[in-house]
Amino acid sequence: MPLSEQTRSPACRHLLIFIFSQFVTAFCLFAYVRVFRDPGPELWPGHPSALTAQPGNKPTAPQTGSELTILLWTWPFGQHTTLRKCSELFSIRDCHITANRSWYHKADAVIVHHRDVCYSRNNLPQGPRSPSQRWIWFNLESRSHSPNLGIMDHLFNLTMSFRRDSDIFTPYGWLEVLSQPQNFSIPAKSKLVAWAVSNWNPASHRVKYYEELKKYIHVDVYGSHHMSLPRDKHHSTLSQYKFYLAFENSLHEDYITEKLWKNALGSGAVPVVCGPPRENYERFLPPDACIHINVFPTAQGLAQYLQELDNDTSQYQRYFQWRTWLKPSEPADWAFHFCKACRALQMTEGYQTKPALSKWFQ
Ligand SMILES: *[C@@H]1O[C@H](CO)[C@@H](O)[C@H](O)[C@H]1NC(C)=O
Ligand SMILES: *[C@@H]1O[C@H](CO)[C@@H](O)[C@H](O)[C@H]1NC(C)=O
Ligand SMILES: *[C@@H]1O[C@H](CO)[C@@H](O)[C@H](O)[C@H]1NC(C)=O
Ligand SMILES: *[C@@H]1O[C@H](CO)[C@@H](O)[C@H](O)[C@H]1NC(C)=O
């Protein structure tokens, strides 16, 4: 019997519509929660308990015997950082992590931070390399700010970067699934749009976009040549804004930095993002966690939308709904990344050479 005949009485029709809408709601909720609770190896991209997904890398039982030695070929950007016990961070066996090059011959792995060595091959380890030693190419900058990639080709066994397909995935942030739902309280808002920018390049995509946007909406700009924003005032200042412009300095796959994770999400401002395409953001975030500029044909359209949200509190609050179950998190320090390497080395046995790093890292 066709549905239309069954639904002649309005009460019955309302009931059916109600049941149907309940079903749709339940289905959506189920699908959503399933995504976040996927018990597979990757809980949510970037989550520290998610293992590196790399075909051919078979998780093995942590090896027994002496701990692995990891040599930091340089301190990243030459800055000494405090090392931590990986057993406390990830409940794994500790690694001996050192920046003392006397350990080169004994090291099971060497972490080479791209920026510190990229200007000359002579900056790379020179001595004979033990057959079992693994070299790890480490980089958190985008391709646009990673010179001389060519000299890194055919040298490394593992990659460590913000690219999700790295052997050791070290993103700028990720989402934690909460064990209990929370009522997230949106910080009190008294201002509209903020942007903090250190490298002001008038020719860049993001500055040009800002120049257009500011014709239609007021933007408070912080950073060198603009209003000052002391580090200890970062959070309290940015959290007063409804929106934060998380504009990346260059557009590359998975290159989503602390501008999103710390400045915007960390301070409870809704991120307005400019970076890789929207789908790329949605690998890491629910769709209603940020506003992508590409959704609007013009900067004027974006400005109009932000003003509408400013007027409509309940619409604005929708950008916080995901926080009922999810919490943004960031690596606390460099030691966190090194411990991820420690864990990966304990868990993986397939180490192929990356043939052409410069082709992969685009
Ligand atoms: C580096 O390690 C070697 C060998 O363990 C040790 O003799 C040397 O004192 C260490 N150097 C520093 C600066 O800790
Ligand atoms: C690591 O890569 C180098 C350079 O291609 C290669 O010679 C070496 O055998 C690899 N080491 C391991 C442990 O796979
Ligand atoms: C969240 O707030 C609502 C309304 O204020 C309240 O009914 C609910 O119990 C709260 N939930 C949690 C998890 O605190
Ligand atoms: C926001 O509200 C103000 C005051 O009610 C109104 O003048 C303005 O047109 C509204 N703007 C948008 C974009 O809805």
Side-chain angles (χ1 to χ4, degrees), residues 180-184 324:
Q180 291 285 318
Q182 67 160 351
N183 271 345
F184 180 77
T324 309

Side-chain angles (χ1 to χ4, degrees), residues 98 114 125 222:
T98 176
H114 182 81
Y222 294 90

Side-chain angles (χ1 to χ4, degrees), residues 287-301:
D288 57 355
C290 66
I291 298 168
H292 199 294
I293 67 163
N294 289 1
V295 172
F296 303 90
T298 61
Q300 183 177 12

